[in-house]
Amino acid sequence: MSNFAPLGERIFIKPIEQEQTTRGGIFLPDTAKEKPQEGEVIAVGPGRATDEGSRIPMELNVGDRVIYSKFAGTEYKDGDDEYLIMRESDVLAKVS
């Protein structure tokens, strides 16, 4: 994996894929899967800049598991790995 440094209030997320089978044992092909809404934070930016020149610190840290809006972010592919770059405000919850 490359070293990523998001700018401003952006975060870099690796989506966590859902299981390939249901609890009943039915296999789900790729076309039937829903877009993931949960992921792990891989990198965080320095925070949002204010008009005074200071920065508002980020609430998320590297390694946090988060739930985000279904169609949020910009998809980025690095080799076989897929990532999302999004604003911190697109994150709905932090999973503990």
Side-chain angles (χ1 to χ4, degrees):
M1 180 179 113
S2 303
N3 289 331
F4 300 106
L7 302 175
E9 64 169 321
R10 290 181 179 79
I11 57 175
F12 213 76
I13 293 180
K14 178 152 180 67
I16 298 172
E17 296 291 329
Q18 66 180 355
E19 294 185 25
Q20 300 245 342
T21 57
T22 63
R23 284 188 234 169
I26 299 172
F27 175 76
L28 293 173
D30 288 339
T31 56
K33 287 184 190 177
E34 286 193 29
K35 195 170 181 178
Q37 289 181 269
E38 187 173 340
E40 180 182 354
V41 177
I42 302 297
V44 298
R48 186 177 54 168
T50 63
D51 292 337
E52 295 83 35
S54 61
R55 292 206 176 264
I56 298 171
M58 301 288 274
E59 293 183 46
L60 298 171
N61 298 307
V62 173
D64 287 345
R65 286 183 68 144
V66 295
I67 297 172
Y68 49 87
S69 301
K70 188 175 262 189
F71 299 104
T74 300
E75 295 177 354
Y76 175 76
K77 194 168 185 175
D78 182 34
D80 291 336
D81 296 325
E82 293 183 14
Y83 301 96
L84 284 172
I85 302 169
M86 67 179 67
R87 294 186 183 277
E88 185 181 42
S89 59
D90 289 331
V91 172
L92 305 174
K94 186 167 144 178
V95 180
S96 53

